[in-house]
């Protein structure tokens, strides 16, 4: 399942959805707002385009790493330091596939999904320099 | 013809997140960008080099499909097309 929403990410629910009897490994990744002297972050998405790109990435990971399930959630809107920005959960028969699938989805998301972050500090806002094209 | 323009991140702050632009006759992506540059303060400086070429951090989609700014600026737009403008991606 792919989610892009303003509401808080529930990693527990994502893990429950990814569990399978045939999966011996469930790997999760959580990206959070780091305190780099900022007060918070704003996340913006080209929602429809991001949803279809993330679904394409999810399906690639499912087939490339023989995953039994993959879940991706990305927050939008205003986030405080420490809050979750992105969560990825992958299940597979064995740990190698689950770790690789999780990493693949994260790296592809960063380079392909139309999402942007703005750091908010006392001095104002600054868009994080993106590298994805 | 009317073209819907979506803009994100820094370009959203300059252009507004969504707007409609009226173009006369057959118009290309470049002509749409030139029109925006002539009506929206700050957009020309943000999107174009002083030489007039598009800055390399300007990414474009037409109808949710990426286009190559080096090759496809001459693409002719059609009534109801949607152009999205945004900087390099920075999610995750």
């Amino acid at each position: 399942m792919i989610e892009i929403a303003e509401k808080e990410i529930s990693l527990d629910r994502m893990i429950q959805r990814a569990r399978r009897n045939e999966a011996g490994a469930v790997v999760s990744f959580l990206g959070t707002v780091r305190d780099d002297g900022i007060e918070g972050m704003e996340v913006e998405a080209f929602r429809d385009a991001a949803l279809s790109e993330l679904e394409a990435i999810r399906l690639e990971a499912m087939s490339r790493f023989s995953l039994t399930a993959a879940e991706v959630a990305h927050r939008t809107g205003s986030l405080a330091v420490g809050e979750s920005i992105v969560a990825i959960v992958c299940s597979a028969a064995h740990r190698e596939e689950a770790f690789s699938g999780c990493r693949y989805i994260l790296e592809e998301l960063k380079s392909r999904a139309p999402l942007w972050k703005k750091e908010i500090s006392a001095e104002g806002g600054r868009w994080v320099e993106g590298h994805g094209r | 013809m009317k073209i819907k323009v979506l803009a994100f991140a820094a370009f959203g702050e300059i252009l507004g997140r969504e707007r409609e632009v009226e173009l006369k006759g057959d118009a290309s992506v470049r002509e749409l960008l030139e029109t925006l540059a002539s009506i929206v303060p700050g957009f020309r400086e943000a999107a174009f080099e002083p030489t007039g070429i598009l800055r390399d951090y300007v990414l474009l989609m037409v109808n949710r499909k990426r286009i190559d700014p080096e090759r496809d600026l001459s693409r002719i737009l059609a009534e109801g097309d949607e152009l999205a403008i945004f900087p390099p991606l920075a999610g995750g």
Side-chain angles (χ1 to χ4, degrees):
Chain A
M1 183 175 166
I2 305 291
E3 246 185 325
I4 297 175
E6 292 205 6
K7 69 176 196 299
E8 218 171 297
I9 293 170
S10 169
L11 191 58
D12 284 348
R13 276 203 293 274
M14 292 171 69
I15 290 171
Q16 286 310 320
R17 283 198 298 264
R19 283 177 177 275
R20 297 287 185 278
N21 287 345
E22 65 272 27
V26 180
V27 167
S28 67
F29 172 84
L30 201 54
T32 58
V33 180
R34 184 177 55 238
D35 185 359
D36 282 337
I38 62 170
E39 292 171 358
M41 193 168 263
E42 278 172 21
V43 181
E44 190 176 324
F46 183 178
R47 197 167 183 282
D48 291 348
L51 281 171
S52 52
E53 194 65 39
L54 289 178
E55 179 61 9
I57 293 167
R58 192 184 77 85
L59 294 175
E60 287 163 21
M62 293 281 296
S63 92
R64 197 177 285 213
F65 302 102
S66 304
L67 302 178
T68 49
E71 297 271 329
V72 185
H74 205 292
R75 280 285 298 277
T76 53
S78 298
L79 281 73
V81 166
E83 279 193 84
S84 304
I85 306 171
V86 60
I88 298 163
V89 176
C90 291
S91 62
H94 304 288
R95 67 186 182 282
E96 288 84 0
E97 292 88 345
F99 275 117
S100 300
C102 204
R103 171 129 212 176
Y104 178 84
I105 291 173
L106 178 65
E107 301 303 334
E108 294 299 304
L109 176 156
K110 280 179 165 288
S111 66
R112 290 165 51 186
L115 295 152
W116 301 270
K117 297 189 294 257
K118 188 181 198 180
E119 293 176 343
I120 309 298
S121 68
E123 289 82 50
R126 188 187 72 88
W127 289 102
V128 173
E129 195 180 328
H131 301 287
R133 291 185 154 266
Chain B
M1 65 178 167
K2 290 193 174 93
I3 305 293
K4 184 167 155 187
V5 176
L6 304 177
F8 297 94
F11 290 114
E13 290 175 346
I14 296 168
L15 293 170
R17 298 286 184 269
E18 185 175 335
R19 64 163 64 214
E20 210 170 59
V21 179
E22 179 88 47
L23 297 169
K24 288 199 186 86
D26 284 346
S28 64
V29 174
R30 170 168 278 282
E31 284 162 313
L32 170 57
L33 294 172
E34 285 291 344
T35 302
L36 288 168
S38 66
I39 59 176
V40 182
F43 180 66
R44 185 177 299 282
E45 294 73 17
F48 291 95
E49 302 282 357
T51 55
I53 62 164
L54 205 61
R55 292 189 190 274
D56 67 359
Y57 56 70
V58 180
L59 306 185
L60 302 168
M61 269 187 189
V62 173
N63 301 332
R64 314 284 161 97
K65 295 262 189 309
R66 287 292 298 278
I67 64 166
D68 180 350
E70 285 190 8
R71 239 187 21 218
D72 303 328
L73 289 188
S74 56
R75 173 174 165 167
I76 300 297
L77 295 163
E79 170 76 29
D81 275 355
E82 174 195 275
L83 178 85
I85 305 175
F86 46 85
L89 317 174

